[in-house]
Amino acid sequence: GKVSSISLEQFFVLQQSDQTLIIDARPAFFYNLGHIPGASHLPKNNCDELIHNREAEIKTALAEGKTIVVYCTSRTCPDARTVARHISGFGHPASVFSAGWNAWNEAGMPTE
């Protein structure tokens, strides 16, 4: 699979129209404090096992035309790109929202 980048604006449109499978690559502590609505937690530790366990969910989302979007904390956090590379290693395309949680939150976007 291919790894690409996605902007805040593009991501927001996909998120609002339920056209994305959102993956939060941050540690559980931060995910539990708040995350982008609909995001599921998939940290970089043991991510291959976690991706394998969610293979059916990923394939279903892609079959429905959804975009897989992975994010972490900010542009300086490598976790989203790491998890996206692992997803692509399973043959699935993934987009990285490199601006991350901080940019999403600072832009006043919805959170849960």
Side-chain angles (χ1 to χ4, degrees):
K2 185 180 130 198
V3 176
S4 58
S5 294
I6 190 167
S7 70
L8 175 64
E9 294 78 15
Q10 293 167 316
F11 183 22
F12 180 69
V13 168
L14 290 174
Q15 186 266 342
Q16 289 292 296
S17 60
D18 193 31
Q19 288 301 304
T20 185
L21 174 63
I22 306 169
I23 296 175
D24 187 325
R26 299 175 302 154
F29 174 80
F30 295 106
Y31 174 82
N32 291 330
L33 286 176
H35 50 269
I36 295 171
S40 57
H41 185 236
L42 201 160
K44 71 176 181 178
N45 295 344
N46 301 319
C47 72
D48 283 339
E49 180 182 340
L50 296 169
I51 293 164
H52 175 74
N53 292 343
R54 296 180 60 190
E55 188 84 14
E57 177 188 2
I58 292 168
K59 286 181 177 178
T60 298
L62 291 170
E64 293 171 353
K66 294 184 178 184
T67 301
I68 299 172
V69 178
V70 186
Y71 74 93
C72 53
T73 305
S74 66
R75 290 194 188 282
T76 59
C77 177
D79 294 359
R81 187 152 303 277
T82 298
V83 170
R85 277 198 311 271
H86 283 266
I87 291 170
S88 75
F90 280 77
H92 308 302
S95 292
V96 175
F97 174 52
S98 59
W101 167 255
N102 290 351
W104 181 272
N105 203 25
E106 288 166 11
M109 299 299 186
T111 63
E112 48 180 46

Coordinates of all heavy atoms in Angstrom, one line a residue, residues 56-98:
A56 N -9.9 -7.4 9.0 CA -11.3 -7.4 8.4 C -11.9 -6.0 8.4 O -12.5 -5.5 7.4 CB -12.1 -8.4 9.2
E57 N -11.7 -5.3 9.5 CA -12.2 -3.9 9.7 C -11.6 -3.0 8.6 O -12.3 -2.2 8.0 CB -11.9 -3.4 11.1 CG -12.4 -1.9 11.3 CD -11.9 -1.3 12.6 OE1 -11.2 -2.1 13.4 OE2 -12.2 -0.2 12.9
I58 N -10.3 -3.1 8.4 CA -9.6 -2.3 7.5 C -10.0 -2.6 6.1 O -10.3 -1.7 5.3 CB -8.0 -2.5 7.6 CG1 -7.5 -1.9 9.0 CG2 -7.3 -1.8 6.4 CD1 -6.1 -2.3 9.3
K59 N -10.1 -3.9 5.7 CA -10.6 -4.2 4.4 C -12.0 -3.8 4.1 O -12.3 -3.3 3.0 CB -10.5 -5.8 4.2 CG -9.0 -6.2 4.0 CD -9.0 -7.7 3.8 CE -7.5 -8.2 3.6 NZ -7.4 -9.6 3.5
T60 N -12.9 -3.9 5.1 CA -14.3 -3.4 4.9 C -14.3 -1.9 4.7 O -15.0 -1.4 3.8 CB -15.1 -3.8 6.2 OG1 -15.1 -5.2 6.3 CG2 -16.5 -3.2 6.1
A61 N -13.5 -1.1 5.5 CA -13.5 0.3 5.3 C -13.0 0.7 3.9 O -13.6 1.5 3.2 CB -12.6 0.9 6.4
L62 N -12.0 0.0 3.4 CA -11.4 0.3 2.1 C -12.4 -0.1 1.0 O -12.6 0.6 0.0 CB -10.1 -0.4 1.9 CG -8.9 0.1 2.7 CD1 -7.7 -0.8 2.6 CD2 -8.6 1.5 2.3
A63 N -13.1 -1.2 1.2 CA -14.1 -1.7 0.2 C -15.3 -0.7 0.2 O -15.9 -0.5 -0.9 CB -14.7 -3.0 0.6
E64 N -15.5 0.0 1.3 CA -16.6 1.1 1.3 C -16.1 2.4 0.8 O -16.8 3.4 0.8 CB -17.1 1.3 2.7 CG -17.8 0.1 3.3 CD -18.2 0.2 4.8 OE1 -17.7 1.1 5.4 OE2 -18.9 -0.7 5.3
G65 N -14.8 2.4 0.3 CA -14.3 3.7 -0.3 C -13.7 4.6 0.7 O -13.5 5.8 0.4
K66 N -13.6 4.2 2.0 CA -13.0 5.1 3.0 C -11.5 5.2 2.9 O -10.9 4.3 2.4 CB -13.4 4.5 4.4 CG -14.9 4.6 4.6 CD -15.3 4.2 6.0 CE -16.8 4.3 6.2 NZ -17.2 4.0 7.6
T67 N -11.0 6.3 3.4 CA -9.6 6.5 3.5 C -9.1 6.2 4.9 O -9.7 6.7 5.9 CB -9.3 8.0 3.2 OG1 -9.8 8.3 1.9 CG2 -7.8 8.3 3.2
I68 N -8.0 5.5 5.0 CA -7.4 5.3 6.3 C -6.5 6.5 6.6 O -5.6 6.8 5.9 CB -6.5 4.0 6.3 CG1 -7.4 2.8 6.0 CG2 -5.8 3.8 7.7 CD1 -6.6 1.5 5.8
V69 N -6.8 7.1 7.8 CA -6.0 8.3 8.2 C -5.4 8.0 9.5 O -6.2 7.7 10.5 CB -6.9 9.6 8.2 CG1 -6.1 10.8 8.7 CG2 -7.5 9.9 6.9
V70 N -4.1 8.2 9.7 CA -3.4 8.0 10.9 C -2.9 9.3 11.4 O -2.3 10.1 10.6 CB -2.2 7.0 10.7 CG1 -1.6 6.6 12.0 CG2 -2.7 5.7 10.0
Y71 N -3.0 9.6 12.7 CA -2.5 10.8 13.3 C -1.8 10.5 14.6 O -2.1 9.5 15.3 CB -3.6 11.9 13.4 CG -4.5 11.7 14.5 CD1 -4.3 12.2 15.8 CD2 -5.7 10.9 14.3 CE1 -5.3 12.0 16.8 CE2 -6.6 10.7 15.4 CZ -6.4 11.3 16.6 OH -7.3 11.1 17.6
C72 N -0.9 11.4 15.0 CA -0.4 11.4 16.4 C -0.5 12.8 17.0 O -1.4 13.5 16.7 CB 1.0 10.7 16.4 SG 2.2 11.4 15.3
T73 N 0.5 13.2 17.7 CA 0.4 14.5 18.4 C 0.7 15.7 17.5 O -0.1 16.6 17.6 CB 1.4 14.5 19.6 OG1 1.2 13.3 20.4 CG2 1.3 15.7 20.4
S74 N 1.8 15.7 16.8 CA 2.1 16.9 16.0 C 3.1 16.5 14.9 O 3.5 15.4 14.8 CB 2.8 17.9 17.0 OG 4.1 17.4 17.4
R75 N 3.5 17.5 14.1 CA 4.4 17.3 13.0 C 5.7 16.7 13.5 O 6.4 16.0 12.7 CB 4.8 18.6 12.3 CG 3.6 19.2 11.5 CD 4.0 20.3 10.6 NE 2.8 20.9 10.0 CZ 2.1 20.3 9.0 NH1 2.4 19.2 8.5 NH2 1.0 20.9 8.6
T76 N 6.2 16.9 14.7 CA 7.4 16.3 15.2 C 7.3 14.9 15.7 O 8.3 14.3 16.1 CB 8.0 17.2 16.3 OG1 7.1 17.3 17.4 CG2 8.3 18.6 15.8
C77 N 6.1 14.4 15.8 CA 5.8 13.0 16.3 C 5.9 12.1 15.1 O 5.1 12.2 14.2 CB 4.5 13.0 17.0 SG 4.0 11.3 17.5
P78 N 6.8 11.1 15.2 CA 6.9 10.1 14.1 C 5.9 8.9 14.1 O 5.9 8.1 13.2 CB 8.3 9.6 14.2 CG 8.6 9.6 15.7 CD 7.8 10.9 16.2
D79 N 5.1 8.8 15.2 CA 4.3 7.6 15.4 C 3.3 7.4 14.3 O 3.1 6.3 13.9 CB 3.6 7.7 16.7 CG 4.6 7.6 17.9 OD1 5.8 7.5 17.7 OD2 4.1 7.7 19.1
A80 N 2.6 8.4 13.8 CA 1.6 8.3 12.7 C 2.3 7.7 11.5 O 1.7 6.8 10.9 CB 0.9 9.6 12.4
R81 N 3.4 8.2 11.1 CA 4.1 7.7 9.9 C 4.5 6.3 10.1 O 4.4 5.5 9.2 CB 5.3 8.6 9.5 CG 5.9 8.2 8.2 CD 6.5 9.4 7.4 NE 5.7 10.5 7.1 CZ 4.8 10.6 6.1 NH1 4.7 9.6 5.3 NH2 4.2 11.7 5.9
T82 N 5.0 6.0 11.3 CA 5.4 4.6 11.6 C 4.2 3.6 11.4 O 4.4 2.6 10.8 CB 6.0 4.5 13.0 OG1 7.1 5.3 13.1 CG2 6.4 3.1 13.4
V83 N 3.1 3.9 12.1 CA 1.9 3.1 12.0 C 1.4 3.0 10.5 O 1.1 1.9 10.1 CB 0.8 3.5 12.9 CG1 -0.5 2.8 12.7 CG2 1.3 3.4 14.4
A84 N 1.4 4.1 9.8 CA 1.0 4.1 8.4 C 1.9 3.2 7.6 O 1.4 2.5 6.7 CB 0.9 5.5 7.9
R85 N 3.2 3.3 7.8 CA 4.1 2.4 7.1 C 3.8 0.9 7.3 O 3.9 0.1 6.4 CB 5.6 2.7 7.4 CG 6.1 3.9 6.6 CD 7.6 3.9 6.6 NE 8.2 3.8 7.9 CZ 8.5 4.8 8.8 NH1 8.3 6.0 8.4 NH2 9.1 4.6 9.9
H86 N 3.5 0.6 8.6 CA 3.1 -0.8 8.9 C 1.8 -1.2 8.2 O 1.7 -2.3 7.7 CB 3.0 -1.0 10.4 CG 4.4 -1.1 11.1 ND1 5.0 -2.2 11.4 CD2 5.2 -0.1 11.6 CE1 6.2 -2.0 12.0 NE2 6.3 -0.7 12.1
I87 N 0.8 -0.3 8.2 CA -0.4 -0.6 7.5 C -0.1 -0.8 6.0 O -0.7 -1.8 5.4 CB -1.4 0.5 7.7 CG1 -1.9 0.6 9.2 CG2 -2.6 0.4 6.8 CD1 -2.7 1.8 9.5
S88 N 0.7 0.0 5.4 CA 1.0 -0.2 4.0 C 1.8 -1.5 3.8 O 1.7 -2.1 2.7 CB 1.8 1.0 3.5 OG 3.2 1.0 4.0
G89 N 2.5 -2.0 4.8 CA 3.2 -3.2 4.7 C 2.2 -4.4 4.6 O 2.6 -5.5 4.1
F90 N 1.0 -4.2 5.0 CA 0.0 -5.2 4.9 C -0.8 -5.1 3.6 O -1.7 -5.8 3.3 CB -1.1 -5.1 6.0 CG -0.6 -5.7 7.3 CD1 0.3 -5.1 8.2 CD2 -1.2 -6.9 7.7 CE1 0.7 -5.6 9.4 CE2 -0.8 -7.5 8.9 CZ 0.2 -6.9 9.8
G91 N -0.3 -4.1 2.7 CA -0.9 -3.9 1.4 C -2.0 -2.9 1.3 O -2.7 -2.8 0.3
H92 N -2.2 -2.1 2.4 CA -3.3 -1.2 2.4 C -2.7 0.3 2.3 O -1.8 0.6 3.0 CB -4.1 -1.3 3.7 CG -4.5 -2.7 4.0 ND1 -5.3 -3.4 3.2 CD2 -4.3 -3.5 5.1 CE1 -5.5 -4.6 3.7 NE2 -4.9 -4.7 4.8
P93 N -3.4 1.1 1.6 CA -3.0 2.5 1.5 C -3.4 3.2 2.8 O -4.4 2.9 3.4 CB -3.8 3.1 0.3 CG -5.0 2.3 0.3 CD -4.6 0.9 0.7
A94 N -2.6 4.2 3.2 CA -2.8 5.0 4.5 C -2.4 6.4 4.3 O -1.4 6.6 3.6 CB -2.1 4.3 5.7
S95 N -3.2 7.3 4.8 CA -2.8 8.7 4.8 C -2.4 9.2 6.2 O -3.0 8.7 7.1 CB -4.0 9.6 4.3 OG -4.3 9.3 2.9
V96 N -1.4 10.0 6.2 CA -0.9 10.6 7.5 C -1.3 12.0 7.6 O -1.1 12.8 6.7 CB 0.7 10.5 7.6 CG1 1.2 11.1 8.9 CG2 1.1 9.0 7.5
F97 N -2.0 12.3 8.7 CA -2.4 13.7 9.1 C -1.3 14.1 10.0 O -1.3 14.0 11.2 CB -3.8 13.7 9.8 CG -4.1 15.1 10.3 CD1 -4.0 16.2 9.4 CD2 -4.5 15.3 11.6 CE1 -4.3 17.5 9.9 CE2 -4.8 16.5 12.1 CZ -4.7 17.6 11.2
S98 N -0.2 14.7 9.4 CA 1.0 14.9 10.1 C 0.9 16.1 11.1 O 1.6 16.2 12.0 CB 2.2 15.2 9.1 OG 1.9 16.3 8.3

